[in-house]
Amino acid sequence: MQKYDDLTEFVLRMGDSALIQAQRLCEWTGKAPALEEELALMNVGLDLVGQARNWLDYAAELIGDGTDADALAYRRDERNYRNVLMVEQPNGDFAVTMLKQFLYDVWQFHMLSKLRESKDDRVAAIATKSLKEVTYHLRRSSDWIKRLGDGTEESHQRMVKAIDDVWRFTYDFLQLTEQENALIDSQVIGDVRDVAAQWQTKVNAVFVASTLTVPKPAEPFYLNSREGVHSECLGALLAEMQYLQRAHPNASW
Amino acid sequence: MRPGNLEGLIATDQESAPKTDKDLPFARQVLADVMDPEVPAVSVVDLGIVRDIGWQDGHIRVLITPTYSGCPATEAIEEAIRDALIAAGFVQAEVIQRLDPAWTTDWITDEGREKLRAYGISPPSGSASKRSLTSEPPVVLCPICNSDHTERVSEFGSTACKALYRCCDCLEPFDYFKCI
Ligand SMILES: [Zn+2]
């Protein structure tokens, strides 16, 4: 596993999370439940690909060995991916997809809000730009949690099952590493220490409004996204996403 | 993706001397004819994508800002701007992307808003800087009959910058240029 300096690791975490979430959304192409939903899923994915590109462009500059955003996206192995565990989980049904989106949106929204205050100009600029888009994403995914949770008997049951399926991965949103704390102390990045509490408050509020029970906070287990120890499914996702550049390196069109 | 309405410029300017820093106002006119590839009713100047037109190291330099992070038109716009300037007599043209300050629909010119409406797209309503996560939905006017009796069909539309609406009076569906 490749380890970079603290800032690069953090920038990769933001970029990789956006990229993998976008890739999962793409899987809905051609099979969303309604045309409007398909457009929405793809548009959110497109925003996230753009955000991933901004982060990975910056990561490539920080690494400074001639790599670029495409190489980082298409030629890194799963052990070198730093994305949060939630985004790599399979889409499941529409309830799982929207729940994953919502939990990630809440994290993004609060992270980016704070990252706007980073002393690092690039981090601040990317966060400011991304937050405008994420505000839209969060409004939409919150609405869906309410519609499904407080909807029909079936949609409610599916939300309950979705929470059961993915809740254990949420611990990743709640913890900061020593290295991230150092970045905060030196003000290179904004103070994201409150994000865990803000995440819990927002998720609780939406769950309660959706007649959904809030599980107790998830506990860490053996997976560790910062160390590249991901769920099995990330490897399969990357195999598909990276196929073309692996089979035909530097192919362009 | 080629900029429109440049035939006249190309014909008259080919014979003249290469453009210099004194021709920056002219460059602005040239860019006013470079249309957004996804919303061809408005130019890159109308949309507020062009942030600065300057002269550096002996050539023209244009700063642009993307509308949305993932806007697939950004590269096409860069290329269209470069092509238009070179066709207009600037020997070398540099186009640089800047994220900061982040683009906002508040930068769309009044003329741009009018052009959007005429094209059938309802322009952004209100000020982006005053909106937040919990803001009330904006009042969106139907671009066809001007009614404010409209409803949102989808938070997203044919491109990232638009949402889908429907007019409850004339019943026409239309695109709304989201306020960000
Ligand atoms: Zn109408």
Side-chain angles (χ1 to χ4, degrees):
Chain A
M1 185 193 55
Q2 175 94 43
K3 267 282 182 191
Y4 297 105
D5 66 83
D6 297 349
L7 180 59
T8 309
E9 288 284 327
F10 181 76
V11 169
L12 284 173
R13 183 163 182 81
M14 297 305 295
D16 290 349
S17 298
L19 179 65
I20 301 301
Q21 177 67 8
Q23 178 68 13
R24 280 291 184 217
L25 289 174
C26 291
E27 293 173 11
W28 276 101
T29 312
K31 44 187 180 184
L35 179 62
E36 288 77 12
E37 272 324 300
E38 175 129 345
L39 287 174
L41 292 165
M42 296 310 119
N43 267 308
V44 173
L46 193 56
D47 284 344
L48 293 174
V49 169
Q51 293 174 18
R53 181 170 168 166
N54 288 334
W55 289 116
L56 295 184
D57 273 340
Y58 187 34
E61 283 172 39
L62 290 170
I63 293 167
D65 65 357
T67 189
D68 60 19
D70 283 336
L72 288 174
Y74 294 121
R75 312 235 188 95
R76 258 181 316 153
D77 293 326
E78 76 183 273
R79 281 305 301 268
N80 291 325
Y81 262 81
R82 296 287 176 266
N83 60 278
V84 291
L85 298 168
M86 183 61 64
V87 297
E88 70 203 28
Q89 301 311 313
N91 281 337
D93 59 11
F94 193 67
V96 175
T97 295
M98 289 323 296
L99 178 66
K100 286 196 306 164
Q101 182 73 44
F102 168 69
L103 298 172
Y104 170 65
D105 287 344
V106 178
W107 180 71
Q108 277 254 83
F109 180 82
H110 292 297
M111 285 293 283
L112 297 170
S113 300
K114 292 290 182 188
L115 291 177
R116 286 182 302 176
E117 293 150 23
S118 304
K119 279 221 172 121
D120 184 290
D121 292 343
R122 276 288 275 285
V123 171
I126 299 170
T128 304
K129 178 93 199 147
S130 306
L131 182 64
K132 286 165 170 267
E133 297 155 3
V134 168
T135 304
Y136 258 88
H137 302 173
L138 177 56
R139 196 179 296 136
R140 173 174 169 277
S141 59
S142 306
D143 282 352
W144 264 116
I145 300 305
K146 289 176 200 153
R147 283 170 69 179
L148 294 172
D150 194 17
T152 63
E153 178 76 12
E154 179 174 358
S155 72
H156 179 84
Q157 279 314 317
R158 288 201 186 208
M159 279 307 301
V160 169
K161 178 161 189 319
I163 294 168
D164 204 36
D165 284 350
V166 302
W167 187 258
R168 64 199 174 110
F169 299 106
T170 57
Y171 73 86
D172 221 7
F173 293 134
L174 306 178
Q175 304 199 319
L176 291 174
T177 61
E178 207 179 296
Q179 290 77 8
E180 287 161 344
N181 274 306
L183 289 172
I184 296 168
D185 288 337
S186 58
Q187 298 176 354
V188 173
I189 64 169
D191 190 347
V192 295
R193 272 181 282 239
D194 292 338
V195 170
Q198 291 168 330
W199 184 90
Q200 282 171 309
T201 305
K202 174 71 182 174
V203 171
N204 284 11
V206 172
F207 275 17
V208 168
S210 314
T211 71
L212 294 164
T213 308
V214 186
K216 60 180 197 304
E219 297 285 339
F221 56 108
Y222 62 89
L223 295 179
N224 185 341
S225 54
R226 271 111 162 175
E227 297 297 320
V229 185
H230 289 277
S231 326
E232 191 184 350
C233 52
L234 181 62
L237 179 151
L238 292 181
E240 183 175 339
M241 187 178 88
Q242 298 181 332
Y243 171 79
L244 197 127
Q245 282 296 326
R246 298 280 195 183
H248 307 279
N250 298 318
S252 65
W253 61 90
Chain B
M1 302 296 173
R2 299 287 299 187
N5 305 329
L6 283 171
E7 290 79 5
L9 292 170
I10 295 165
T12 50
D13 290 315
Q14 258 167 356
E15 297 95 330
S16 57
K19 295 285 182 276
T20 67
D21 55 342
K22 299 200 173 50
D23 298 305
L24 292 180
F26 168 67
R28 183 165 285 277
Q29 292 172 31
V30 172
L31 297 188
D33 278 328
V34 177
M35 298 296 149
D36 181 281
E38 286 186 330
V39 191
V42 284
S43 77
V44 293
V45 174
D46 293 327
L47 281 176
I49 294 172
V50 174
R51 299 315 302 156
D52 187 55
I53 301 173
W55 193 265
Q56 195 161 325
D57 305 327
H59 63 263
I60 187 166
R61 197 185 72 164
V62 179
L63 291 186
I64 64 166
T65 188
T67 52
Y68 281 76
S69 301
C71 178
T74 308
E75 278 162 31
I77 289 171
E78 261 186 59
E79 210 172 298
I81 289 176
R82 209 176 294 119
D83 288 354
L85 291 171
I86 288 169
F90 291 90
V91 176
Q92 196 192 341
E94 188 183 10
V95 183
I96 295 180
Q97 248 197 70
R98 280 283 156 79
L99 284 183
D100 178 46
W103 181 79
T104 158
T105 42
D106 295 352
W107 292 345
I108 301 180
T109 61
D110 290 343
E111 208 188 327
R113 285 163 201 266
E114 220 19 77
K115 287 182 192 167
L116 283 172
R117 202 188 324 273
Y119 190 65
I121 299 172
S122 184
S125 159
S127 161
S129 53
K130 297 195 185 92
R131 283 184 57 75
S132 71
L133 187 63
T134 50
S135 291
E136 287 296 305
V139 177
V140 173
L141 298 181
C142 169
I144 296 139
C145 75
N146 218 31
S147 163
D148 61 1
H149 189 204
T150 60
E151 62 180 8
R152 196 183 72 207
V153 178
S154 172
E155 192 80 80
F156 293 89
S158 53
T159 63
C161 56
K162 289 174 258 163
L164 270 180
Y165 272 72
R166 177 192 299 134
C167 177
C168 305
D169 283 330
C170 75
L171 305 181
E172 282 293 323
F174 63 91
D175 274 333
Y176 166 61
F177 208 107
K178 289 186 298 196
C179 184
I180 72 161

